[in-house]
């Protein structure tokens, strides 16, 4: 997964994060949850059309 934040781009290995976790100060889990929520909302909106 790629996370774009302002002028920064982060590549996240989701499987690795699930298995090993990530330090809280990285906010990786929050970013993954936000991205998944955005994808679900976009999919729900598309299904409504």
């Amino acid at each position: 997964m790629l996370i774009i934040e302002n002028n920064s781009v982060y590549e996240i290995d989701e499987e690795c994060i699930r298995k090993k976790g990530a330090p809280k100060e990285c906010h990786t889990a929050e970013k993954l949850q936000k991205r998944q929520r955005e994808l679900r909302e976009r999919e729900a909106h598309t299904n409504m059309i």
Side-chain angles (χ1 to χ4, degrees), residues 17 20-30:
I17 295 298
K20 296 183 180 181
K24 290 188 180 221
E25 61 270 8
C26 293
H27 303 287
T28 305
E30 291 90 352

Side-chain angles (χ1 to χ4, degrees), residues 4-15:
I4 301 170
E5 191 173 69
N6 299 322
N7 292 332
S8 301
V9 177
Y10 307 94
E11 184 175 8
I12 306 296
D13 182 344
E14 294 178 63
E15 189 65 28

Side-chain angles (χ1 to χ4, degrees):
M1 169 188 295
L2 290 178
I3 296 178
I4 301 170
E5 191 173 69
N6 299 322
N7 292 332
S8 301
V9 177
Y10 307 94
E11 184 175 8
I12 306 296
D13 182 344
E14 294 178 63
E15 189 65 28
C16 181
I17 295 298
R18 284 187 198 104
K19 289 180 181 177
K20 296 183 180 181
K24 290 188 180 221
E25 61 270 8
C26 293
H27 303 287
T28 305
E30 291 90 352
K31 290 175 185 174
L32 284 173
Q33 290 172 351
K34 179 182 176 188
R35 177 69 176 147
Q36 290 171 344
R37 187 171 49 253
E38 290 170 349
L39 290 173
R40 282 194 304 270
E41 289 171 358
R42 190 173 301 151
E43 183 178 303
H45 179 71
T46 302
N47 290 338
M48 291 174 60
I49 296 177

